[in-house]
Amino acid sequence: METVVLIVAIVLAIGIGTYWIHLLNAQHDARIEAYRFSEPLPKPPGLPQSTSRRAQHTDTGR
């Protein structure tokens, strides 16, 4: 009987912990959405649209 009570208590603690973490993650996501990040700086004229490494390399050498 004591083993059953212990298992139920552990499962209940895991469930409460999981629910608590879920609530904290939702609160954190809401806080991130509420924060207004600044707009990225405009690119100077004459630069390509994408300056990533993938955009700079072509597959002509392969």
Side-chain angles (χ1 to χ4, degrees):
M1 180 68 181
E2 296 163 356
T3 306
V4 174
V5 172
L6 179 63
I7 291 173
V8 169
I10 290 172
V11 170
L12 186 63
I14 290 172
I16 291 171
T18 304
Y19 182 69
W20 187 38
I21 290 172
H22 174 72
L23 288 179
L24 289 174
N25 283 337
Q27 182 183 21
H28 181 68
D29 290 342
R31 199 176 296 147
I32 288 174
E33 285 183 23
Y35 183 75
R36 297 285 300 196
F37 292 96
S38 65
E39 294 294 322
L41 295 174
K43 294 182 182 176
L47 284 181
Q49 290 292 345
S50 177
T51 57
S52 68
R53 296 181 108 192
R54 180 174 286 177
Q56 292 173 0
H57 294 289
T58 60
D59 290 333
T60 57
R62 291 185 184 199

